[in-house]
Amino acid sequence: MRLIVGISGASGAIYGIRALQALQELGVETHLVITDAGLETIRLETDFKKADVVKLATKTYRLDDIASKIASGSYQTDGMLVIPCSMKTLAGIASGYSGNLLLRAADVTIKERRRLVLVVRETPLSLIHIENMATVTRAGAIVLPAMPAFYHKPKTVEELVDQVVGKALDMLGIEQQLLKRWEGQLHAGQAGARPRTPKSRRPP
Ligand SMILES: Cc1cc2nc3c(=O)[nH]c(=O)nc-3n(C[C@H](O)[C@H](O)[C@H](O)COP(=O)(O)O)c2cc1C
């Protein structure tokens, strides 16, 4: 499997790093592009150096390398993951403004009808952000907000991060063990029992 990975400058650089670690362990070929703001958040939010992150990818590209192979639809990939995805990068993708290699690769992924997963992060969201998410969704991309679930009772930040990264890889069809799946609630002595529908919601 061959995947393009983009790291942009939203908070949560650790999501991108963890995704690269997991993909390396799974033997997935990764083509990495990091924005300038992405490099800044890696520096500000983590103990990783740029060189440590680059080592996790199969190949890393300069942000201005618009003549590279991932800038062309003729280079076949199994999709692209932008993790984390800033509102600026989201806006670039939504408007088709391919001003750097990450944006161009995302544009290509959409036009070639390949899977594009955007792990967006901002809060609160403005109408502009929401409309851009709607636009990319209509174009076929998957908006996967960096919103971890809590049903697996996480005890560490790593467990929260893995829940988001695992879900993103799941959406790209990559089998992994990071995502803790909900197995259903079993009450003692009620294994397999179906919950009763409250009277008020039963059909007449
Ligand atoms: C520490 C830090 C955290 C940031 N967090 C976010 C964020 O969560 N979401 C966002 O959209 N932008 C965030 N930004 C702002 C972006 O980095 C900024 O808009 C940048 O221009 C995005 O560029 P890029 O999309 O090319 O990476 C953050 C910036 C810094 C320095």
Side-chain angles (χ1 to χ4, degrees):
M1 184 168 197
R2 177 184 289 158
L3 203 66
I4 302 171
V5 178
I7 296 182
S8 68
S11 191
I14 193 62
Y15 289 119
I17 293 169
R18 188 72 189 108
L20 286 171
Q21 287 173 333
L23 291 166
Q24 191 177 55
E25 279 164 27
L26 292 165
V28 174
E29 183 183 315
T30 50
H31 294 256
L32 174 66
V33 53
I34 311 175
T35 65
D36 295 339
L39 288 173
E40 190 67 354
T41 48
I42 289 169
R43 189 180 69 80
L44 291 168
E45 297 184 341
T46 79
D47 295 327
F48 284 78
K49 302 267 174 282
K50 181 185 173 186
D52 303 324
V53 180
V54 165
K55 263 188 235 153
L56 296 171
T58 310
K59 185 166 171 44
T60 304
Y61 302 81
R62 284 198 337 264
L63 189 61
D64 64 353
D65 190 3
I66 43 95
S68 67
K69 52 192 176 186
I70 60 168
S72 170
S74 64
Y75 185 65
Q76 291 194 313
T77 72
D78 296 295
M80 178 170 180
L81 172 63
V82 184
I83 179 168
C85 182
S86 74
M87 293 303 106
K88 177 191 158 197
T89 287
L90 170 71
I93 297 168
S95 60
Y97 181 76
S98 303
N100 63 41
L101 181 59
L102 190 159
L103 294 173
R104 170 63 185 166
D107 197 44
V108 165
T109 304
I110 289 176
K111 86 180 172 72
E112 297 294 328
R113 279 36 175 198
R114 297 175 189 147
R115 189 60 64 93
L116 174 64
V117 175
L118 306 177
V119 179
V120 296
R121 212 238 58 114
E122 189 48 277
T123 193
L125 296 167
S126 72
L127 181 61
I128 295 168
H129 302 149
I130 293 166
E131 285 184 343
N132 283 337
M133 287 185 209
T135 299
V136 297
T137 301
R138 278 194 292 269
I142 294 173
V143 175
L144 193 149
M147 289 179 187
F150 288 85
Y151 58 74
H152 60 307
K153 297 185 178 158
K155 301 207 173 26
T156 63
V157 172
E158 287 74 20
E159 285 178 78
L160 285 171
V161 169
D162 279 3
Q163 193 70 4
V164 170
V165 173
K167 185 71 187 177
L169 300 189
D170 223 36
M171 297 312 295
L172 287 153
I174 298 169
E175 275 186 47
Q176 40 70 40
Q177 305 295 321
L178 301 182
L179 177 68
K180 300 283 173 286
R181 296 181 195 280
W182 178 245
E183 301 292 352
Q185 185 180 3
L186 292 181
H187 299 289
Q190 285 190 316
R194 291 177 59 183
R196 274 171 60 86
T197 309
K199 252 188 188 157
S200 57
R201 281 199 267 132
R202 278 186 216 154

